[in-house]
Tab-separated table of all heavy atoms in Angstrom:
chain	number	residue	atom	x	y	z
A	1	MET	N	2.482	-15.843	7.019
A	1	MET	CA	1.639	-14.678	6.837
A	1	MET	C	0.573	-14.673	7.917
A	1	MET	O	-0.108	-15.649	8.122
A	1	MET	CB	0.994	-14.732	5.448
A	1	MET	CG	-0.036	-13.653	5.230
A	1	MET	SD	-0.717	-13.608	3.554
A	1	MET	CE	-1.565	-15.153	3.464
A	2	THR	N	0.433	-13.578	8.598
A	2	THR	CA	-0.614	-13.410	9.594
A	2	THR	C	-1.767	-12.690	8.937
A	2	THR	O	-1.617	-11.564	8.473
A	2	THR	CB	-0.103	-12.601	10.798
A	2	THR	OG1	1.063	-13.238	11.295
A	2	THR	CG2	-1.143	-12.516	11.877
A	3	THR	N	-2.932	-13.340	8.902
A	3	THR	CA	-4.053	-12.767	8.165
A	3	THR	C	-4.518	-11.445	8.742
A	3	THR	O	-4.989	-10.588	8.011
A	3	THR	CB	-5.228	-13.757	8.105
A	3	THR	OG1	-5.548	-14.170	9.431
A	3	THR	CG2	-4.893	-14.945	7.244
A	4	ALA	N	-4.358	-11.245	10.051
A	4	ALA	CA	-4.822	-10.009	10.672
A	4	ALA	C	-3.962	-8.817	10.252
A	4	ALA	O	-4.426	-7.682	10.273
A	4	ALA	CB	-4.819	-10.145	12.188
A	5	THR	N	-2.723	-9.065	9.851
A	5	THR	CA	-1.836	-7.967	9.501
A	5	THR	C	-1.403	-8.008	8.038
A	5	THR	O	-0.519	-7.260	7.645
A	5	THR	CB	-0.586	-7.974	10.400
A	5	THR	OG1	0.087	-9.220	10.219
A	5	THR	CG2	-0.954	-7.778	11.860
A	6	ALA	N	-2.009	-8.888	7.247
A	6	ALA	CA	-1.611	-9.007	5.847
A	6	ALA	C	-2.024	-7.766	5.064
A	6	ALA	O	-3.147	-7.295	5.177
A	6	ALA	CB	-2.247	-10.247	5.232
A	7	GLU	N	-1.084	-7.257	4.264
A	7	GLU	CA	-1.380	-6.122	3.396
A	7	GLU	C	-2.033	-6.664	2.128
A	7	GLU	O	-1.513	-7.576	1.489
A	7	GLU	CB	-0.095	-5.384	3.045
A	7	GLU	CG	-0.320	-4.216	2.117
A	7	GLU	CD	0.971	-3.578	1.642
A	7	GLU	OE1	2.053	-4.128	1.907
A	7	GLU	OE2	0.875	-2.532	1.010
A	8	LEU	N	-3.180	-6.111	1.773
A	8	LEU	CA	-3.881	-6.531	0.566
A	8	LEU	C	-3.670	-5.493	-0.523
A	8	LEU	O	-3.810	-4.295	-0.294
A	8	LEU	CB	-5.373	-6.702	0.842
A	8	LEU	CG	-5.734	-7.791	1.838
A	8	LEU	CD1	-7.231	-7.797	2.108
A	8	LEU	CD2	-5.286	-9.154	1.322
A	9	LEU	N	-3.331	-5.979	-1.710
A	9	LEU	CA	-3.061	-5.107	-2.844
A	9	LEU	C	-4.165	-5.229	-3.885
A	9	LEU	O	-4.765	-6.292	-4.045
A	9	LEU	CB	-1.729	-5.491	-3.496
A	9	LEU	CG	-0.516	-5.521	-2.587
A	9	LEU	CD1	0.670	-6.135	-3.325
A	9	LEU	CD2	-0.192	-4.126	-2.097
A	10	THR	N	-4.393	-4.161	-4.610
A	10	THR	CA	-5.325	-4.206	-5.740
A	10	THR	C	-4.596	-4.813	-6.936
A	10	THR	O	-3.366	-4.912	-6.956
A	10	THR	CB	-5.811	-2.799	-6.114
A	10	THR	OG1	-4.694	-2.043	-6.579
A	10	THR	CG2	-6.483	-2.102	-4.936
A	11	VAL	N	-5.373	-5.197	-7.940
A	11	VAL	CA	-4.774	-5.712	-9.172
A	11	VAL	C	-3.868	-4.645	-9.778
A	11	VAL	O	-2.768	-4.943	-10.240
A	11	VAL	CB	-5.872	-6.162	-10.165
A	11	VAL	CG1	-5.276	-6.458	-11.533
A	11	VAL	CG2	-6.601	-7.377	-9.620
A	12	LYS	N	-4.297	-3.396	-9.748
A	12	LYS	CA	-3.496	-2.297	-10.301
A	12	LYS	C	-2.151	-2.172	-9.578
A	12	LYS	O	-1.112	-1.951	-10.205
A	12	LYS	CB	-4.279	-0.995	-10.205
A	12	LYS	CG	-3.715	0.120	-11.011
A	12	LYS	CD	-4.671	1.289	-11.053
A	12	LYS	CE	-4.205	2.319	-12.059
A	12	LYS	NZ	-5.147	3.408	-12.227
A	13	GLU	N	-2.155	-2.326	-8.254
A	13	GLU	CA	-0.903	-2.253	-7.492
A	13	GLU	C	0.014	-3.425	-7.832
A	13	GLU	O	1.234	-3.257	-7.937
A	13	GLU	CB	-1.199	-2.227	-5.995
A	13	GLU	CG	-1.857	-0.942	-5.537
A	13	GLU	CD	-2.382	-0.996	-4.113
A	13	GLU	OE1	-2.837	-2.076	-3.671
A	13	GLU	OE2	-2.332	0.054	-3.458
A	14	VAL	N	-0.566	-4.611	-8.017
A	14	VAL	CA	0.230	-5.780	-8.396
A	14	VAL	C	0.801	-5.590	-9.801
A	14	VAL	O	1.951	-5.931	-10.059
A	14	VAL	CB	-0.612	-7.072	-8.296
A	14	VAL	CG1	0.155	-8.268	-8.850
A	14	VAL	CG2	-1.013	-7.328	-6.852
A	15	MET	N	0.000	-5.022	-10.701
A	15	MET	CA	0.485	-4.727	-12.046
A	15	MET	C	1.738	-3.858	-11.979
A	15	MET	O	2.721	-4.122	-12.669
A	15	MET	CB	-0.601	-3.999	-12.848
A	15	MET	CG	-1.774	-4.853	-13.237
A	15	MET	SD	-3.184	-3.886	-13.869
A	15	MET	CE	-2.433	-2.881	-15.136
A	16	ALA	N	1.697	-2.846	-11.139
A	16	ALA	CA	2.833	-1.931	-11.010
A	16	ALA	C	4.041	-2.638	-10.393
A	16	ALA	O	5.175	-2.443	-10.846
A	16	ALA	CB	2.440	-0.723	-10.159
A	17	ARG	N	3.819	-3.458	-9.381
A	17	ARG	CA	4.936	-4.143	-8.712
A	17	ARG	C	5.612	-5.160	-9.616
A	17	ARG	O	6.830	-5.315	-9.582
A	17	ARG	CB	4.458	-4.841	-7.438
A	17	ARG	CG	4.157	-3.873	-6.325
A	17	ARG	CD	3.917	-4.584	-5.024
A	17	ARG	NE	3.535	-3.604	-4.004
A	17	ARG	CZ	3.581	-3.845	-2.725
A	17	ARG	NH1	3.973	-5.014	-2.268
A	17	ARG	NH2	3.215	-2.917	-1.860
A	18	LEU	N	4.806	-5.875	-10.409
A	18	LEU	CA	5.361	-6.919	-11.268
A	18	LEU	C	5.671	-6.420	-12.672
A	18	LEU	O	6.228	-7.167	-13.482
A	18	LEU	CB	4.388	-8.106	-11.352
A	18	LEU	CG	4.120	-8.860	-10.053
A	18	LEU	CD1	3.112	-9.975	-10.293
A	18	LEU	CD2	5.405	-9.400	-9.461
A	19	LYS	N	5.289	-5.177	-12.968
A	19	LYS	CA	5.494	-4.610	-14.308
A	19	LYS	C	4.822	-5.477	-15.369
A	19	LYS	O	5.397	-5.813	-16.407
A	19	LYS	CB	6.984	-4.461	-14.637
A	19	LYS	CG	7.803	-3.748	-13.582
A	19	LYS	CD	7.475	-2.274	-13.520
A	19	LYS	CE	8.460	-1.516	-12.659
A	19	LYS	NZ	8.112	-1.429	-11.255
A	20	LEU	N	3.564	-5.865	-15.079
A	20	LEU	CA	2.775	-6.697	-15.980
A	20	LEU	C	1.451	-6.010	-16.286
A	20	LEU	O	1.007	-5.146	-15.535
A	20	LEU	CB	2.476	-8.064	-15.333
A	20	LEU	CG	3.663	-8.968	-15.054
A	20	LEU	CD1	3.204	-10.185	-14.259
A	20	LEU	CD2	4.336	-9.390	-16.346
A	21	GLY	N	0.821	-6.451	-17.350
A	21	GLY	CA	-0.485	-5.926	-17.713
A	21	GLY	C	-1.602	-6.570	-16.909
A	21	GLY	O	-1.413	-7.609	-16.259
A	22	ARG	N	-2.760	-5.953	-16.980
A	22	ARG	CA	-3.938	-6.424	-16.247
A	22	ARG	C	-4.305	-7.865	-16.607
A	22	ARG	O	-4.548	-8.694	-15.729
A	22	ARG	CB	-5.098	-5.472	-16.547
A	22	ARG	CG	-6.402	-5.819	-15.918
A	22	ARG	CD	-7.469	-4.800	-16.356
A	22	ARG	NE	-8.786	-5.217	-15.983
A	22	ARG	CZ	-9.374	-4.893	-14.841
A	22	ARG	NH1	-8.737	-4.138	-13.974
A	22	ARG	NH2	-10.584	-5.321	-14.570
A	23	SER	N	-4.342	-8.177	-17.894
A	23	SER	CA	-4.757	-9.526	-18.297
A	23	SER	C	-3.767	-10.588	-17.818
A	23	SER	O	-4.165	-11.695	-17.460
A	23	SER	CB	-4.959	-9.614	-19.807
A	23	SER	OG	-3.771	-9.304	-20.482
A	24	LYS	N	-2.470	-10.261	-17.785
A	24	LYS	CA	-1.470	-11.226	-17.296
A	24	LYS	C	-1.639	-11.474	-15.800
A	24	LYS	O	-1.541	-12.618	-15.346
A	24	LYS	CB	-0.050	-10.732	-17.597
A	24	LYS	CG	1.017	-11.725	-17.215
A	24	LYS	CD	0.839	-13.043	-17.950
A	24	LYS	CE	1.906	-14.042	-17.566
A	24	LYS	NZ	1.709	-15.330	-18.233
A	25	VAL	N	-1.930	-10.431	-15.032
A	25	VAL	CA	-2.155	-10.609	-13.589
A	25	VAL	C	-3.372	-11.504	-13.365
A	25	VAL	O	-3.324	-12.450	-12.566
A	25	VAL	CB	-2.308	-9.252	-12.868
A	25	VAL	CG1	-2.748	-9.449	-11.415
A	25	VAL	CG2	-1.008	-8.466	-12.927
A	26	TYR	N	-4.461	-11.253	-14.103
A	26	TYR	CA	-5.643	-12.105	-13.962
A	26	TYR	C	-5.365	-13.535	-14.431
A	26	TYR	O	-5.896	-14.493	-13.860
A	26	TYR	CB	-6.845	-11.505	-14.693
A	26	TYR	CG	-7.554	-10.460	-13.864
A	26	TYR	CD1	-7.456	-9.107	-14.176
A	26	TYR	CD2	-8.317	-10.822	-12.753
A	26	TYR	CE1	-8.095	-8.146	-13.408
A	26	TYR	CE2	-8.953	-9.875	-11.977
A	26	TYR	CZ	-8.846	-8.537	-12.316
A	26	TYR	OH	-9.485	-7.593	-11.543
A	27	ASP	N	-4.517	-13.699	-15.432
A	27	ASP	CA	-4.122	-15.029	-15.888
A	27	ASP	C	-3.370	-15.772	-14.781
A	27	ASP	O	-3.618	-16.961	-14.545
A	27	ASP	CB	-3.255	-14.914	-17.143
A	27	ASP	CG	-2.855	-16.269	-17.695
A	27	ASP	OD1	-3.740	-17.135	-17.850
A	27	ASP	OD2	-1.649	-16.461	-17.971
A	28	LEU	N	-2.471	-15.080	-14.085
A	28	LEU	CA	-1.744	-15.688	-12.964
A	28	LEU	C	-2.700	-16.088	-11.842
A	28	LEU	O	-2.525	-17.125	-11.207
A	28	LEU	CB	-0.683	-14.726	-12.441
A	28	LEU	CG	0.485	-14.445	-13.383
A	28	LEU	CD1	1.348	-13.320	-12.819
A	28	LEU	CD2	1.311	-15.696	-13.624
A	29	ILE	N	-3.719	-15.274	-11.612
A	29	ILE	CA	-4.721	-15.593	-10.587
A	29	ILE	C	-5.539	-16.813	-11.024
A	29	ILE	O	-5.734	-17.753	-10.240
A	29	ILE	CB	-5.628	-14.373	-10.322
A	29	ILE	CG1	-4.824	-13.261	-9.636
A	29	ILE	CG2	-6.846	-14.774	-9.489
A	29	ILE	CD1	-5.538	-11.922	-9.572
A	30	ARG	N	-6.011	-16.820	-12.268
A	30	ARG	CA	-6.819	-17.938	-12.777
A	30	ARG	C	-6.059	-19.253	-12.748
A	30	ARG	O	-6.636	-20.307	-12.478
A	30	ARG	CB	-7.266	-17.662	-14.216
A	30	ARG	CG	-8.593	-16.983	-14.342
A	30	ARG	CD	-9.097	-16.992	-15.784
A	30	ARG	NE	-8.186	-16.314	-16.701
A	30	ARG	CZ	-8.127	-15.003	-16.889
A	30	ARG	NH1	-8.929	-14.211	-16.214
A	30	ARG	NH2	-7.278	-14.490	-17.746
A	31	SER	N	-4.756	-19.191	-13.026
A	31	SER	CA	-3.951	-20.406	-13.064
A	31	SER	C	-3.422	-20.803	-11.678
A	31	SER	O	-2.634	-21.742	-11.562
A	31	SER	CB	-2.778	-20.227	-14.031
A	31	SER	OG	-1.908	-19.211	-13.579
A	32	HIS	N	-3.846	-20.068	-10.656
A	32	HIS	CA	-3.463	-20.342	-9.259
A	32	HIS	C	-1.966	-20.183	-9.011
A	32	HIS	O	-1.434	-20.752	-8.070
A	32	HIS	CB	-3.944	-21.722	-8.802
A	32	HIS	CG	-5.416	-21.905	-8.938
A	32	HIS	ND1	-6.322	-21.318	-8.102
A	32	HIS	CD2	-6.143	-22.577	-9.861
A	32	HIS	CE1	-7.544	-21.629	-8.480
A	32	HIS	NE2	-7.467	-22.397	-9.557
A	33	ARG	N	-1.293	-19.425	-9.858
A	33	ARG	CA	0.125	-19.135	-9.630
A	33	ARG	C	0.277	-17.935	-8.712
A	33	ARG	O	1.342	-17.725	-8.131
A	33	ARG	CB	0.828	-18.893	-10.959
A	33	ARG	CG	0.881	-20.157	-11.816
A	33	ARG	CD	1.451	-19.919	-13.173
A	33	ARG	NE	2.836	-19.498	-13.094
A	33	ARG	CZ	3.445	-18.833	-14.060
A	33	ARG	NH1	2.809	-18.519	-15.165
A	33	ARG	NH2	4.703	-18.478	-13.927
A	34	LEU	N	-0.795	-17.151	-8.595
A	34	LEU	CA	-0.813	-15.986	-7.717
A	34	LEU	C	-2.084	-16.063	-6.880
A	34	LEU	O	-3.190	-16.095	-7.427
A	34	LEU	CB	-0.793	-14.695	-8.541
A	34	LEU	CG	-0.688	-13.382	-7.780
A	34	LEU	CD1	0.615	-13.314	-6.975
A	34	LEU	CD2	-0.759	-12.213	-8.743
A	35	VAL	N	-1.923	-16.132	-5.574
A	35	VAL	CA	-3.056	-16.271	-4.655
A	35	VAL	C	-3.805	-14.948	-4.561
A	35	VAL	O	-3.190	-13.876	-4.512
A	35	VAL	CB	-2.547	-16.694	-3.252
A	35	VAL	CG1	-3.675	-16.722	-2.247
A	35	VAL	CG2	-1.854	-18.035	-3.331
A	36	SER	N	-5.130	-15.040	-4.543
A	36	SER	CA	-5.942	-13.837	-4.363
A	36	SER	C	-7.220	-14.194	-3.611
A	36	SER	O	-7.564	-15.371	-3.474
A	36	SER	CB	-6.301	-13.221	-5.714
A	36	SER	OG	-7.244	-14.023	-6.392
A	37	ILE	N	-7.869	-13.170	-3.126
A	37	ILE	CA	-9.167	-13.340	-2.484
A	37	ILE	C	-10.143	-12.359	-3.124
A	37	ILE	O	-9.725	-11.382	-3.759
A	37	ILE	CB	-9.113	-13.112	-0.954
A	37	ILE	CG1	-8.653	-11.685	-0.634
A	37	ILE	CG2	-8.224	-14.148	-0.294
A	37	ILE	CD1	-8.768	-11.329	0.844
A	38	LYS	N	-11.419	-12.635	-2.964
A	38	LYS	CA	-12.429	-11.733	-3.485
A	38	LYS	C	-13.228	-11.198	-2.308
A	38	LYS	O	-13.708	-11.960	-1.468
A	38	LYS	CB	-13.338	-12.467	-4.463
A	38	LYS	CG	-14.075	-11.546	-5.384
A	38	LYS	CD	-14.625	-12.298	-6.563
A	38	LYS	CE	-15.211	-11.281	-7.527
A	38	LYS	NZ	-15.754	-11.937	-8.710
A	39	ILE	N	-13.332	-9.894	-2.237
A	39	ILE	CA	-14.120	-9.227	-1.203
A	39	ILE	C	-15.243	-8.504	-1.936
A	39	ILE	O	-14.980	-7.540	-2.655
A	39	ILE	CB	-13.268	-8.246	-0.378
A	39	ILE	CG1	-12.105	-8.974	0.279
A	39	ILE	CG2	-14.134	-7.533	0.662
A	39	ILE	CD1	-11.092	-8.079	0.951
A	40	ASP	N	-16.454	-9.015	-1.778
A	40	ASP	CA	-17.590	-8.565	-2.579
A	40	ASP	C	-17.187	-8.671	-4.049
A	40	ASP	O	-16.876	-9.739	-4.509
A	40	ASP	CB	-18.048	-7.159	-2.182
A	40	ASP	CG	-18.644	-7.132	-0.767
A	40	ASP	OD1	-19.231	-8.150	-0.358
A	40	ASP	OD2	-18.508	-6.110	-0.092
A	41	GLY	N	-17.127	-7.596	-4.788
A	41	GLY	CA	-16.758	-7.660	-6.199
A	41	GLY	C	-15.320	-7.280	-6.453
A	41	GLY	O	-14.909	-7.161	-7.602
A	42	SER	N	-14.543	-7.107	-5.396
A	42	SER	CA	-13.162	-6.625	-5.551
A	42	SER	C	-12.155	-7.742	-5.327
A	42	SER	O	-12.240	-8.485	-4.354
A	42	SER	CB	-12.886	-5.512	-4.539
A	42	SER	OG	-13.770	-4.443	-4.731
A	43	ARG	N	-11.208	-7.854	-6.231
A	43	ARG	CA	-10.139	-8.842	-6.122
A	43	ARG	C	-8.976	-8.214	-5.366
A	43	ARG	O	-8.578	-7.083	-5.641
A	43	ARG	CB	-9.704	-9.232	-7.535
A	43	ARG	CG	-8.654	-10.269	-7.628
A	43	ARG	CD	-9.065	-11.649	-7.196
A	43	ARG	NE	-10.165	-12.200	-7.949
A	43	ARG	CZ	-10.721	-13.373	-7.665
A	43	ARG	NH1	-10.268	-14.101	-6.659
A	43	ARG	NH2	-11.731	-13.821	-8.363
A	44	ARG	N	-8.446	-8.922	-4.368
A	44	ARG	CA	-7.303	-8.439	-3.598
A	44	ARG	C	-6.253	-9.540	-3.517
A	44	ARG	O	-6.573	-10.722	-3.396
A	44	ARG	CB	-7.714	-8.020	-2.178
A	44	ARG	CG	-8.660	-6.832	-2.144
A	44	ARG	CD	-7.955	-5.575	-2.624
A	44	ARG	NE	-8.814	-4.416	-2.595
A	44	ARG	CZ	-9.431	-3.904	-3.656
A	44	ARG	NH1	-9.311	-4.472	-4.821
A	44	ARG	NH2	-10.168	-2.824	-3.548
A	45	ILE	N	-5.011	-9.123	-3.579
A	45	ILE	CA	-3.885	-10.051	-3.555
A	45	ILE	C	-3.020	-9.717	-2.346
A	45	ILE	O	-2.574	-8.575	-2.195
A	45	ILE	CB	-3.042	-9.930	-4.843
A	45	ILE	CG1	-3.891	-10.224	-6.086
A	45	ILE	CG2	-1.856	-10.880	-4.807
A	45	ILE	CD1	-4.455	-9.029	-6.751
A	46	PRO	N	-2.790	-10.682	-1.466
A	46	PRO	CA	-1.909	-10.424	-0.323
A	46	PRO	C	-0.494	-10.094	-0.804
A	46	PRO	O	0.022	-10.733	-1.724
A	46	PRO	CB	-1.927	-11.739	0.455
A	46	PRO	CG	-3.160	-12.452	0.001
A	46	PRO	CD	-3.365	-12.029	-1.416
A	47	ALA	N	0.121	-9.107	-0.184
A	47	ALA	CA	1.488	-8.719	-0.548
A	47	ALA	C	2.434	-9.904	-0.401
A	47	ALA	O	3.365	-10.061	-1.206
A	47	ALA	CB	1.939	-7.536	0.309
A	48	ASP	N	2.201	-10.752	0.579
A	48	ASP	CA	3.034	-11.947	0.763
A	48	ASP	C	2.922	-12.890	-0.432
A	48	ASP	O	3.890	-13.561	-0.789
A	48	ASP	CB	2.647	-12.696	2.042
A	48	ASP	CG	3.076	-11.975	3.303
A	48	ASP	OD1	3.888	-11.032	3.205
A	48	ASP	OD2	2.593	-12.351	4.377
A	49	ALA	N	1.737	-12.938	-1.058
A	49	ALA	CA	1.548	-13.795	-2.227
A	49	ALA	C	2.372	-13.286	-3.401
A	49	ALA	O	2.927	-14.083	-4.171
A	49	ALA	CB	0.072	-13.869	-2.602
A	50	VAL	N	2.474	-11.974	-3.535
A	50	VAL	CA	3.301	-11.390	-4.599
A	50	VAL	C	4.768	-11.729	-4.339
A	50	VAL	O	5.492	-12.158	-5.240
A	50	VAL	CB	3.085	-9.866	-4.704
A	50	VAL	CG1	4.028	-9.256	-5.736
A	50	VAL	CG2	1.635	-9.548	-5.041
A	51	ARG	N	5.204	-11.571	-3.099
A	51	ARG	CA	6.579	-11.910	-2.739
A	51	ARG	C	6.865	-13.388	-3.010
A	51	ARG	O	7.892	-13.738	-3.604
A	51	ARG	CB	6.844	-11.587	-1.267
A	51	ARG	CG	8.322	-11.756	-0.882
A	51	ARG	CD	8.548	-11.911	0.611
A	51	ARG	NE	8.053	-13.229	1.006
A	51	ARG	CZ	7.175	-13.444	2.001
A	51	ARG	NH1	6.721	-12.454	2.721
A	51	ARG	NH2	6.765	-14.654	2.293
A	52	ASP	N	5.937	-14.267	-2.598
A	52	ASP	CA	6.116	-15.702	-2.816
A	52	ASP	C	6.179	-16.038	-4.303
A	52	ASP	O	6.953	-16.893	-4.722
A	52	ASP	CB	4.984	-16.488	-2.154
A	52	ASP	CG	5.019	-16.418	-0.634
A	52	ASP	OD1	6.064	-16.006	-0.068
A	52	ASP	OD2	3.993	-16.755	-0.019
A	53	PHE	N	5.358	-15.359	-5.101
A	53	PHE	CA	5.376	-15.578	-6.545
A	53	PHE	C	6.746	-15.203	-7.121
A	53	PHE	O	7.328	-15.958	-7.895
A	53	PHE	CB	4.277	-14.757	-7.224
A	53	PHE	CG	4.364	-14.785	-8.718
A	53	PHE	CD1	3.939	-15.895	-9.427
A	53	PHE	CD2	4.887	-13.713	-9.420
A	53	PHE	CE1	4.038	-15.927	-10.817
A	53	PHE	CE2	4.990	-13.734	-10.793
A	53	PHE	CZ	4.559	-14.854	-11.501
A	54	ILE	N	7.261	-14.055	-6.720
A	54	ILE	CA	8.562	-13.606	-7.217
A	54	ILE	C	9.661	-14.580	-6.807
A	54	ILE	O	10.501	-14.966	-7.625
A	54	ILE	CB	8.875	-12.177	-6.713
A	54	ILE	CG1	7.898	-11.172	-7.331
A	54	ILE	CG2	10.329	-11.798	-7.017
A	54	ILE	CD1	7.937	-9.802	-6.700
A	55	LEU	N	9.648	-14.984	-5.536
A	55	LEU	CA	10.666	-15.942	-5.072
A	55	LEU	C	10.580	-17.269	-5.826
A	55	LEU	O	11.600	-17.871	-6.155
A	55	LEU	CB	10.527	-16.164	-3.556
A	55	LEU	CG	10.873	-14.967	-2.678
A	55	LEU	CD1	10.567	-15.276	-1.222
A	55	LEU	CD2	12.325	-14.560	-2.857
A	56	GLY	N	9.357	-17.720	-6.097
A	56	GLY	CA	9.162	-18.944	-6.857
A	56	GLY	C	9.713	-18.828	-8.269
A	56	GLY	O	10.326	-19.775	-8.798
A	57	GLN	N	9.523	-17.668	-8.882
A	57	GLN	CA	10.047	-17.448	-10.237
A	57	GLN	C	11.579	-17.434	-10.231
A	57	GLN	O	12.209	-17.961	-11.153
A	57	GLN	CB	9.512	-16.116	-10.800
A	57	GLN	CG	8.025	-16.128	-11.063
A	57	GLN	CD	7.630	-17.196	-12.067
A	57	GLN	OE1	8.059	-17.176	-13.204
A	57	GLN	NE2	6.841	-18.154	-11.621
A	58	ILE	N	12.157	-16.873	-9.194
A	58	ILE	CA	13.617	-16.847	-9.073
A	58	ILE	C	14.157	-18.262	-8.903
A	58	ILE	O	15.143	-18.644	-9.534
A	58	ILE	CB	14.056	-15.932	-7.910
A	58	ILE	CG1	13.737	-14.473	-8.250
A	58	ILE	CG2	15.540	-16.109	-7.587
A	58	ILE	CD1	13.887	-13.504	-7.080
A	59	GLU	N	13.480	-19.062	-8.075
A	59	GLU	CA	13.919	-20.446	-7.861
A	59	GLU	C	13.823	-21.263	-9.154
A	59	GLU	O	14.703	-22.061	-9.455
A	59	GLU	CB	13.076	-21.107	-6.767
A	59	GLU	CG	13.418	-20.623	-5.380
A	59	GLU	CD	12.539	-21.258	-4.306
A	59	GLU	OE1	11.818	-22.243	-4.612
A	59	GLU	OE2	12.562	-20.764	-3.172
A	60	GLU	N	12.742	-21.057	-9.927
A	60	GLU	CA	12.581	-21.761	-11.196
A	60	GLU	C	13.676	-21.397	-12.183
A	60	GLU	O	14.127	-22.227	-12.959
A	60	GLU	CB	11.227	-21.439	-11.827
A	60	GLU	CG	10.071	-22.203	-11.249
A	60	GLU	CD	8.768	-21.889	-11.961
A	60	GLU	OE1	8.803	-21.513	-13.158
A	60	GLU	OE2	7.715	-22.040	-11.341
A	61	ALA	N	14.102	-20.141	-12.154
A	61	ALA	CA	15.112	-19.660	-13.096
A	61	ALA	C	16.508	-20.157	-12.746
A	61	ALA	O	17.386	-20.192	-13.611
A	61	ALA	CB	15.096	-18.136	-13.146
A	62	ALA	N	16.689	-20.513	-11.477
A	62	ALA	CA	18.034	-20.933	-11.033
A	62	ALA	C	18.356	-22.347	-11.449
A	62	ALA	O	17.592	-23.123	-11.820
A	62	ALA	CB	18.137	-20.812	-9.514
């Protein structure tokens, strides 16, 4: 992931991509299963982190 070109997603966008609720997304962030950053008071999740999370879940299921 190149930080200069990384796409940052809002929690709402991640909720839509993963088909999960707000509290579950924050739970994944708190448990460090989903990487995020905080910009002032706003939480942002790199799109690559969402992809990595999904790939990790697929590997665990296999």
Side-chain angles (χ1 to χ4, degrees):
M1 173 175 65
T2 305
T3 54
T5 60
E7 178 187 8
L8 296 176
L9 305 171
T10 65
V11 170
K12 194 170 190 175
E13 291 170 326
V14 173
M15 289 168 52
R17 287 190 184 197
L18 296 178
K19 309 290 191 271
L20 295 173
R22 178 182 169 91
S23 60
K24 184 59 180 178
V25 171
Y26 277 107
D27 182 49
L28 292 172
I29 291 169
R30 268 191 300 278
S31 64
H32 303 286
R33 293 175 64 202
L34 185 61
V35 175
S36 71
I37 61 172
K38 200 163 187 179
I39 302 172
D40 293 329
S42 300
R43 182 68 60 184
R44 295 293 181 260
I45 301 95
D48 288 347
V50 175
R51 187 200 71 233
D52 292 345
F53 172 77
I54 294 168
L55 292 175
Q57 292 300 299
I58 292 169
E59 286 178 12
E60 280 183 27

